[in-house]
Amino acid sequence: MTKQQALELIFEKNEAMRSLGMAGSLMHWDAATLGVPEKSLSARGATMGWLSGEGFRRFIAPDTLEAIETLEAVSSELNAMESAMVRELGKDYRKLKAVPPEEFQKFSALVTEAESVWEKARDKRDYEMIRPYYEKIFDYQRRLCDWYGYEKHPYDALLDDYEKGATVEMLDSFFSPLREKIVPLLKEIVKTGKQPKEVKGSFDVLKQRELMPWLAEFTGFDLTRGKVGEVEHPFCTTISRNDVRITTKYHEDNLASALYSIIHECGHAIYEQNMCEDMERYNLSDCASMGMHESQSRLYENMICRSREFAGLILPRLREKFDFFTDWDEDMLYRAINIARPSLIRIEADELTYSLHIMVRYELEKALITGDIKVADLPELWADKYEEIIGIRPANLAEGVLQDTHWGIGAVGYFPSYSVGTAYGAQMMHKMKQSIDVGAAITKGDISPVTSWLKTNVHEIGALLLPDDLLMHATGESFNPNYYADYLSEKFTDLYLK
C-alpha cells in the first residue's frame, strides 16, 4: 500500500465513521428531547448497537492497520494534520482491536437500555432497578482495562479515553491539594453563617425562555448553526460543526439553574462551532480531550458569567422580566450567583464546591475498578463520602448515587475531566487577561475578544495537539493547577471572609 492509498483509505473510513456517529447522535437527541415509546427501547438499543458495531468493525478491519503502519513508516513525510491523525488512529486502533467486536456491540446495546432504566430508577428512587445494569457496566469496564492495557493502575486505561495522558498518579496529585485547601475554606465559610439573599421565588418559565436568545448571542453561540432543547439532564451534542445542539431544563422556582446550564452548554457548543472545517477530513475536528471541552463551558459559566461585571450586565434584563429583582443592585446579584455552601446535586453545585463533588465520584470509580468496593454498596458509600468531604448527607437516592447519568451510559472515567478542565480554564483566563481587559468586555456586553482568543488558541486547533501541548501553545506553560486553586481561594475569601 502506498502513502497516497493509505491516506485515501483512512479518509474514506473517517467519512463513514462520521456519518454513523451523526446517525447515533440524532437518535440520542430524539430520545432525550422528544421521548420515545417504552416498547421501542429494545429495538432502539439494537439499532444503536448496530451503528456502534458497524463503526467498530469498519475501524478495526485489517486494512486500517495496514494503512496506519504504512503512514507510520513514512512519518517524516507527513504534514502536521496527517501526523496527528495517524497518532490518534494508531493509538485508538491498538486499544480497540483488543476488544472483542461482539462484546463492544453488546455493551452499546446495554448502555442504550440502561440510560432509560436509570431515568426511571432515579424518579422512583429505586437503586435495585439500575443495580444489575451497573454491575454489568462496571464488569465490562474492568475487562476493558485489561483489553486496553495499562502500566501502573487499571483506571488509567479508562481515564485516557476522556483525558489523554491522565493517570491516577496525576489526579491524586491534583485532587489532594484541593482537598487540603477547599475543604477547610468551605468549613470557614460555613462557620461565618453569612449567606446572601438568594434568587428564590416564582419565575415564569416562558419569560425564562425569552432570555435564552440573548444569552446565546452574548456568549457567541450561533443559533443559525444550532438549536436549544429541553431535557431532564442538560447536555450538548454535535451532529456536525454546523449543527450543534444544546439543552437545558427550566425550573419555575430556580431561575439560575436554567440560565447557567444554558451558558455552560453554550461554552461547549462554541468550541464545536469554532472547530476548523479543514480538520474534518482528518478526524481532528474534535476537542483535544473532555477536560479541554469542559474548560470552555466552565470558563464561560463561571469566570465570565459569575463575574461582578456580568451581574451588572444582566440585572437590567432580569428586572424587565421579573418583579422579583426590582430592589436588587449589582452587588446583591453578584453575591447571589456566587453562593458557596455544602450541597448534594453536582450540576447545581456552586463554583467553590464543584470539584469536591467530582472528588467523591473519582474516589468511588477508582475503587470500583480495582474491586475494593462493590456496586451493591454504592448508595451507602456515596452518602458516607459526601458526609466526609462536603459535610452533608443525601436524604434520598435521587440526591445521592442516582443523580448522574454517566454510569448508565458507560462513561466511566469521565468525571475527573470536569475538574481538570475547570483548572485548564483558570490557566487560560490568567493568560488571556495579560492581553485582554476581560472585565471591560463583559461590561460592554461584547465578549468577542475573549471568544476570538479562545478560537485562535484552543478551538481551531481541535485534536491536533494533546492536552498538555495545547495548554503550552495557549498559555506558554504546562498544566499548572495552582491557577485554579488561587482563583477559587481569592474569589471566595473576598466574598465571605473579608
Side-chain angles (χ1 to χ4, degrees):
M1 186 181 292
T2 67
K3 171 190 168 184
Q4 191 57 37
Q5 288 172 330
L7 285 172
E8 290 302 324
L9 177 68
I10 294 298
F11 291 149
E12 181 182 336
K13 286 179 180 282
N14 286 346
E15 179 62 31
M17 297 283 285
R18 186 161 59 250
S19 297
L20 290 166
M22 288 172 68
S25 294
L26 283 167
M27 287 187 70
H28 179 260
W29 170 269
D30 175 67
T33 60
L34 301 176
V36 294
E38 185 173 349
K39 291 187 177 180
S40 74
L41 290 176
S42 179
R44 288 178 65 86
T47 301
M48 290 291 284
W50 183 88
L51 287 170
S52 297
E54 182 64 16
F56 183 82
R57 284 188 291 272
R58 285 172 180 266
F59 182 60
I60 65 168
D63 59 352
T64 305
L65 179 59
E66 184 182 358
I68 290 170
E69 290 179 339
T70 297
L71 295 171
E72 287 175 337
V74 294
S75 59
S76 62
E77 300 175 18
L78 304 180
N79 63 36
M81 286 191 186
E82 291 167 346
S83 293
M85 177 181 71
V86 173
R87 179 196 71 213
E88 294 302 306
L89 286 175
K91 181 179 179 181
D92 290 344
Y93 184 92
R94 292 178 175 101
K95 286 174 70 173
L96 292 179
K97 188 66 173 69
V99 182
E102 65 277 8
E103 291 282 349
F104 183 85
Q105 187 162 337
K106 281 165 53 180
F107 181 71
S108 297
L110 170 68
V111 295
T112 298
E113 187 173 347
E115 184 177 13
S116 295
V117 174
W118 162 78
E119 289 183 3
K120 296 181 180 65
R122 183 204 54 216
D123 292 343
K124 294 182 178 181
R125 301 177 181 181
D126 184 352
Y127 183 69
E128 289 306 304
M129 290 179 66
I130 193 65
R131 181 177 61 80
Y133 291 88
Y134 280 179
E135 287 175 341
K136 291 177 183 177
I137 287 167
F138 275 98
D139 178 63
Y140 177 88
Q141 297 295 327
R142 282 187 286 270
R143 287 182 288 135
L144 194 61
C145 294
D146 293 331
W147 290 329
Y148 281 177
Y150 55 89
E151 291 185 8
K152 294 184 178 180
H153 196 289
Y155 192 33
D156 292 349
L158 304 180
L159 293 170
D160 189 71
D161 271 350
Y162 303 100
E163 199 55 38
K164 297 166 189 173
T167 63
V168 165
E169 184 177 9
M170 167 202 163
L171 290 173
D172 283 348
S173 65
F174 170 65
F175 281 116
S176 292
L178 287 178
R179 185 190 276 261
E180 292 170 6
K181 294 178 182 179
I182 304 307
V183 172
L185 177 57
L186 178 61
K187 289 180 179 178
E188 285 298 310
I189 288 172
V190 171
K191 277 184 187 178
T192 68
K194 292 164 52 178
Q195 284 295 345
K197 184 177 179 180
E198 298 184 48
V199 180
K200 281 195 173 180
S202 180
F203 305 95
D204 186 274
V205 168
L206 291 176
K207 291 183 178 180
Q208 290 189 50
R209 288 194 185 102
E210 289 172 1
L211 285 167
M212 188 277 297
W214 177 79
L215 287 171
E217 181 181 5
F218 170 76
T219 59
F221 177 44
D222 184 353
L223 286 171
T224 68
R225 299 166 57 210
K227 64 184 298 183
V228 181
E230 295 181 33
V231 293
E232 183 64 30
H233 190 103
F235 65 89
C236 170
T237 191
T238 301
I239 312 304
S240 72
R241 65 187 294 273
N242 289 317
D243 186 357
V244 184
R245 307 181 185 193
I246 68 170
T247 59
T248 190
K249 181 176 182 180
Y250 295 98
H251 303 265
E252 187 174 349
D253 62 346
N254 191 345
L255 172 64
S257 176
L259 294 184
Y260 281 96
S261 69
I262 286 173
I263 294 165
H264 180 95
E265 301 306 337
C266 278
H268 283 305
I270 292 163
Y271 193 173
E272 295 289 334
Q273 289 183 334
N274 282 339
M275 292 288 177
C276 181
E277 187 172 10
D278 291 344
M279 289 188 177
E280 285 189 345
R281 192 179 187 210
Y282 297 89
N283 200 30
L284 298 172
S285 58
D286 200 355
C287 60
S289 69
M290 291 298 101
M292 200 57 67
H293 227 308
E294 198 64 21
S295 74
Q296 303 307 287
S297 60
R298 305 293 285 181
L299 187 151
Y300 279 93
E301 176 191 354
N302 292 326
M303 296 166 203
I304 293 175
C305 293
R306 293 191 194 273
S307 65
R308 187 178 294 276
E309 293 86 354
F310 183 76
L313 180 69
I314 196 174
L315 183 56
R317 290 166 177 81
L318 295 179
R319 286 179 182 146
E320 289 175 5
K321 301 288 183 187
F322 310 105
D323 292 339
F324 179 88
F325 294 100
T326 301
D327 299 325
W328 281 57
D329 61 28
E330 177 184 315
D331 186 65
M332 289 173 64
L333 183 58
Y334 173 60
R335 292 179 182 279
I337 60 178
N338 285 293
I339 288 175
R341 63 184 174 203
S343 63
L344 292 165
I345 306 300
R346 175 186 62 85
I347 62 172
E348 305 291 351
D350 59 74
E351 187 179 10
L352 179 67
T353 63
Y354 186 82
S355 284
L356 303 184
H357 290 258
I358 301 303
M359 194 183 300
V360 168
R361 291 152 176 80
Y362 166 66
E363 293 183 1
L364 290 173
E365 277 193 353
K366 184 168 59 170
L368 282 163
I369 292 303
T370 57
D372 291 338
I373 63 174
K374 296 179 180 179
V375 166
D377 299 327
L378 271 176
E380 192 68 17
L381 293 170
W382 180 289
D384 291 343
K385 283 282 185 187
Y386 259 77
E387 193 165 27
E388 172 199 350
I389 294 173
I390 303 179
I392 189 170
R393 195 173 185 88
N396 58 66
L397 293 174
E399 293 177 343
V401 72
L402 292 179
Q403 67 178 270
D404 295 306
T405 187
H406 296 63
W407 292 341
I409 62 173
V412 179
Y414 191 134
F415 281 119
S417 65
Y418 288 122
S419 285
V420 171
T422 308
Y424 289 165
Q427 185 168 336
M428 291 173 195
M429 181 61 79
H430 176 83
K431 178 65 175 180
M432 190 192 309
K433 284 184 173 180
Q434 295 175 13
S435 57
I436 297 172
D437 189 338
V438 176
I442 298 170
T443 299
K444 283 175 55 182
D446 178 9
I447 60 168
S448 56
V450 172
T451 300
S452 178
W453 189 96
L454 291 169
K455 180 179 180 180
T456 299
N457 291 288
V458 181
H459 302 167
E460 289 184 333
I461 295 169
L464 186 63
L465 299 177
L466 294 171
D468 206 54
D469 294 330
L470 180 52
L471 270 180
M472 178 65 75
H473 167 81
T475 70
E477 60 180 310
S478 293
F479 179 44
N480 183 349
N482 289 328
Y483 292 118
Y484 178 43
D486 291 346
Y487 161 76
L488 289 176
S489 181
E490 290 169 10
K491 179 175 180 177
F492 286 93
T493 297
D494 180 65
L495 277 164
Y496 281 94
L497 303 178
K498 287 187 178 179

